[in-house]
């Protein structure tokens, strides 16, 4: 069975299965695509003959469940980052002008570019692309602890550099990392 035949055979039922787990339609479609790609790339690790529809279907369900769990954790992580504050708390906070905000973002980009290559790489992959530490570790062929260490060092370096800047808004941007 080739990739096209697998996609044709399993895409619809897989999207329906993922929807039944609670993912919205668009996310379920994306999770299904990721699951099919992951299963195709790792088909040789399937226990049994991956060409057998029963064996591959059960295995694909496990791959999809793992992809769904990763998506669900990502959603919870994003939800926990959103903070709701009463409006009176924000009344005293100065709003930077768009020009100031652009300058601060440019300075942050410059600071990230000045990081050592390994630190810059994990910062961009983890925060900009929202890749999990585990996936970053797999892509870089290092341990998750190594990735965590590089992230820590990068954040510490950025904090030190940005602390030298007098702008509180600029430091606030760092807190988002």
């Amino acid at each position: 069975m080739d990739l096209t035949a697998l996609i044709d055979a399993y895409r619809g039922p897989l999207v329906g299965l993922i929807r039944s787990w609670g993912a919205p339609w668009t996310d379920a479609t994306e999770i299904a695509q990721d699951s099919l790609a992951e299963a195709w790339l790792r088909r040789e690790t399937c226990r049994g003959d991956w060409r057998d529809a029963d064996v591959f279907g059960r295995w694909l369900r496990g791959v999809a469940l793992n992809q769904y769990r990763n998506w669900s954790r990502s959603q919870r992580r994003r939800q926990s980052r959103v903070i709701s504050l009463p409006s009176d708390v924000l009344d005293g906070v100065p709003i930077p002008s768009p020009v100031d905000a652009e300058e601060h973002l440019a300075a942050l980009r410059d600071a990230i570019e000045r990081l050592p290559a390994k630190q810059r790489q994990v910062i961009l992959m983890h925060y900009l692309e929202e890749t999990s530490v585990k996936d970053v570790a797999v892509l870089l062929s290092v341990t998750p602890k190594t990735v965590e260490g590089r992230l820590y060092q990068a954040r510490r370096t950025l904090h030190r550099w940005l602390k030298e800047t007098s702008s509180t808004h600029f430091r606030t941007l760092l807190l988002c990392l």
Side-chain angles (χ1 to χ4, degrees), residues 7-36:
I7 291 172
D8 291 342
Y10 292 103
R11 180 179 42 208
L14 195 58
V15 170
L17 177 65
I18 296 167
R19 283 276 298 130
S20 74
W21 293 335
W25 180 262
T26 55
D27 291 328
T29 303
E30 188 171 330
I31 294 167
Q33 290 172 345
D34 291 345
S35 301
L36 286 163

Side-chain angles (χ1 to χ4, degrees):
M1 191 180 289
D2 66 343
L3 179 59
T4 305
L6 284 174
I7 291 172
D8 291 342
Y10 292 103
R11 180 179 42 208
L14 195 58
V15 170
L17 177 65
I18 296 167
R19 283 276 298 130
S20 74
W21 293 335
W25 180 262
T26 55
D27 291 328
T29 303
E30 188 171 330
I31 294 167
Q33 290 172 345
D34 291 345
S35 301
L36 286 163
E38 180 80 15
W40 178 256
L41 292 173
R42 298 182 187 269
R43 63 189 179 276
E44 298 303 324
T45 63
C46 177
R47 291 187 183 145
D49 184 13
W50 67 270
R51 290 173 191 87
D52 179 11
D54 289 336
V55 172
F56 187 78
R58 282 191 303 272
W59 186 66
L60 179 60
R61 182 186 189 282
V63 171
L65 183 59
N66 287 335
Q67 291 288 332
Y68 171 76
R69 287 176 178 157
N70 291 340
W71 170 84
S72 182
R73 276 191 293 270
S74 173
Q75 293 298 104
R76 283 192 306 269
R77 204 170 34 245
R78 286 187 188 128
Q79 291 291 329
S80 69
R81 288 182 183 169
V82 175
I83 299 172
S84 178
L85 297 173
S87 60
D88 60 330
V89 172
L90 298 176
D91 288 342
V93 177
I95 299 173
S97 70
V99 173
D100 290 342
E102 283 300 316
E103 289 175 9
H104 295 309
L105 285 174
L108 180 58
R109 285 186 197 109
D110 291 342
I112 291 172
E113 287 300 316
R114 289 183 10 219
L115 286 171
K118 290 180 179 181
Q119 291 178 11
R120 182 176 58 249
Q121 190 176 42
V122 295
I123 284 285
L124 294 175
M125 291 174 77
H126 184 67
Y127 291 110
L128 185 64
E129 298 297 326
E130 296 183 359
T131 308
S132 70
V133 169
K134 180 183 172 190
D135 290 343
V136 171
V138 169
L139 291 169
L140 297 178
S141 300
V142 297
T143 66
K145 284 294 182 187
T146 301
V147 173
E148 290 171 2
R150 289 177 185 174
L151 284 170
Y152 172 79
Q153 292 297 327
R155 285 190 304 261
R156 198 173 82 176
T157 301
L158 287 171
H159 180 72
R160 188 179 68 244
W161 288 345
L162 300 178
K163 200 164 125 178
E164 297 167 2
T165 304
S166 62
S167 170
T168 57
H169 179 68
F170 194 50
R171 279 187 245 141
T172 305
L173 288 174
L174 180 60
L175 292 176
C176 294
L177 292 181

